[in-house]
Amino acid sequence: MEQLVEDMKFHGLQPDTHFLTDLAWYYISKGYKDKAIAILKEIGGGNSQEFIRAHNKFFSLYASLGMANDVSRIWNHCK
C-alpha cells in the first residue's frame, strides 16, 4: 500500500482525503495503528474544505484509535 501511494506521488498524483482515510481504515483493521496515525497527521486537518467534508470519517478513525482529544477536537469543529 505504501509503495502505491509513493508511486502516485512520484507521478504527480496527490491522494485525496477520502483515499487516505480509507487507507487509514485498512491499516487500523490490520493492526497498524502507527501507520494510520501517520496518515492522519499527513492529512492534517483544520479548515480545509476536504477535511470538513470528511469530518465523519475522521471522527470515526480517531475514535477507533482511542484518541479522545482528537475526537473532541473534531466534535467541537463540527458544532
Side-chain angles (χ1 to χ4, degrees):
M1 295 300 286
E2 292 152 350
Q3 186 62 48
L4 173 66
V5 173
E6 291 304 316
D7 288 346
M8 289 174 70
K9 289 179 181 178
F10 178 78
H11 288 80
L13 300 171
Q14 183 60 39
D16 68 2
T17 301
H18 292 285
F19 176 86
L20 292 172
T21 55
D22 287 345
L23 183 58
W25 274 118
Y26 170 79
Y27 284 144
I28 291 170
S29 73
K30 298 299 179 188
Y32 300 117
K33 290 184 177 186
D34 291 338
K35 290 183 180 192
I37 291 169
I39 288 173
L40 292 172
K41 287 182 180 178
E42 177 184 337
I43 295 168
N47 294 321
S48 75
Q49 289 300 317
E50 236 182 310
F51 180 83
I52 292 169
R53 285 191 299 268
H55 71 272
N56 59 334
K57 285 188 175 187
F58 287 103
F59 187 81
S60 298
L61 283 164
Y62 283 122
S64 294
L65 291 166
M67 299 174 73
N69 289 338
D70 290 297
V71 171
S72 294
R73 179 176 56 84
I74 301 296
W75 181 257
N76 288 327
H77 185 75
C78 293
K79 284 184 182 179

